[in-house]
Amino acid sequence: MDQVESVRTPASWVVVGLDNGGTCNNATVLDATGRYLVDNLVENPSLVTDGPESAIDQLAEAFHNILDLTSTPLTLVRAVGLDTPGPASAKGVISSKGATNFSMVSWHGFDIRSALEARIGLPVFYLNDANAAALYAHHRLFGAEAMTKSSVAAIVGTGLGGGVVEDGRVVSGAAGMAGELGHVQIPLHGVLEVGQPVPECNCGFTGDVESIASLTGIKKNLLPYWLTRFPDHPLAAEPLPQAAKQLRSYAEKEDPLALAVFEQQAKAIGKLFTIAANFTDPDAYLLGGGVVEAAPKFRQWFLNTVRENTQLRAEQQSAATFALVADLDMAGARGAAVAALEAVQNG
């Protein structure tokens, strides 16, 4: 378990947030006043590739270790928030077909929320990881006004996750699949070059946001096309998976090929936010993922390009904010904790 630079003991009852990932779990504690008791990542191995039994053991270990680290008695814990990558149901049941992090057959249809709840003997509330990050970003941006505001967040990673927050709460939908922003199909006019193939998503859709604005979209669709336009580029000699991962470092150096790829990604997210503007008209448009970890100049250029390609009416332009997701590495655990705190407070 990693140590943290600053820890505090609780002044009131608390909830715990657990962010389950492909490699590590991250844990945090949030007290009833809205104060986080740790300021940094607190991780342990997730062991999800070893199957459900090992993974639940590790989540329970993360839970007890974060209580020890913050000198929090178990009796003060009212609930736990848990997030995992999807696809999974709103109640925390992994897809019957599995998922990227849950590919073993023993994970297919596994109820990870109930399993953790039974293990630790406390109520567990579930979100997918992108929804959790979106919820934290919303509360971090709006603070005391969070419960009266709305936001839409796009989290760019291997895929494109996201979340829709209305009056401070994640919109989950009837089947728990609201906010699957990556699979919203967008108009491609003004995004693709003349003659550029229509991008295909691993979900089976063509022309959805994830097919463009994701690492998978770069590797599968954008980079193969742009390398035909820049055949002498150094990345042409690299295998596509490695070339895709290196692309951001080239963009930070203002490489023309890399900027062309990321400009298409930003335009696609702008199209997505334009749809959101006409569907939910949010107070804020939030952008997270690898771009947040990039060099400041490139990061600001990318956010500006997204904003420039989001078509808002004059009234919306004066009312809406564009911002980056803060504390990205901790956003999942913190968002899961926010969801648990709200669940307890609302009975």
Side-chain angles (χ1 to χ4, degrees), residues 96-318:
S96 60
K97 295 182 179 180
T100 301
N101 283 11
F102 307 107
S103 57
M104 294 175 63
V105 174
S106 55
W107 277 115
H108 295 191
F110 183 79
D111 188 342
I112 190 170
R113 186 204 64 79
S114 293
L116 180 61
E117 188 171 83
R119 178 63 184 274
I120 63 177
L122 286 164
V124 175
F125 299 93
Y126 178 83
L127 287 174
N128 74 45
D129 54 357
N131 278 185
L135 183 63
Y136 172 67
H138 178 93
H139 280 258
R140 171 66 186 272
L141 178 66
F142 290 116
E145 295 184 317
M147 301 308 290
T148 64
K149 300 290 186 179
S150 60
S151 64
V152 171
I155 314 294
V156 187
T158 303
L160 187 134
V164 177
V165 178
E166 188 68 37
D167 292 331
R169 295 184 178 86
V170 170
V171 177
S172 59
M177 295 181 181
E180 288 290 348
L181 303 182
H183 304 299
V184 173
Q185 291 169 299
I186 57 172
L188 298 177
H189 177 72
V191 177
L192 300 183
E193 296 287 295
V194 175
Q196 185 174 358
V198 174
E200 297 179 351
C201 183
N202 288 344
C203 76
F205 285 175
T206 58
D208 65 10
V209 188
E210 184 174 301
S211 69
I212 300 170
S214 67
L215 180 62
T216 303
I218 290 176
K219 179 176 64 177
K220 184 176 181 179
N221 299 309
L222 303 190
L223 192 54
Y225 168 75
W226 282 103
L227 284 173
T228 67
R229 303 287 297 271
F230 293 83
D232 298 325
H233 195 280
L235 290 179
E238 299 282 342
L240 273 174
Q242 284 74 22
K245 291 179 180 178
Q246 294 176 39
L247 195 66
R248 193 177 75 198
S249 65
Y250 279 87
E252 290 172 338
K253 301 169 189 173
E254 300 185 0
D255 175 80
L257 178 150
L259 289 180
V261 170
F262 284 106
E263 183 177 29
Q264 289 192 317
Q265 291 203 327
K267 286 180 175 180
I269 296 170
K271 296 282 190 183
L272 170 69
F273 283 168
T274 300
I275 293 171
N278 288 284
F279 201 81
T280 69
D281 189 23
D283 292 287
Y285 301 86
L286 302 170
L287 181 65
V291 67
V292 176
E293 301 162 358
K297 184 178 179 181
F298 169 73
R299 183 173 62 204
Q300 192 60 49
W301 169 83
F302 191 87
L303 181 63
N304 289 345
T305 307
V306 170
R307 183 190 290 115
E308 290 163 5
N309 285 276
T310 303
Q311 296 176 299
L312 302 180
R313 295 173 176 83
E315 298 88 343
Q316 294 173 312
Q317 289 176 352
S318 62

Side-chain angles (χ1 to χ4, degrees), residues 54-84:
S54 296
I56 296 299
D57 285 345
Q58 291 301 102
L59 284 167
E61 178 182 281
F63 170 75
H64 290 292
N65 282 348
I66 197 68
L67 298 187
D68 290 343
L69 187 63
T70 56
S71 301
T72 302
L74 181 62
T75 53
L76 290 185
V77 183
R78 297 279 182 91
V80 173
L82 170 67
D83 80 72
T84 76

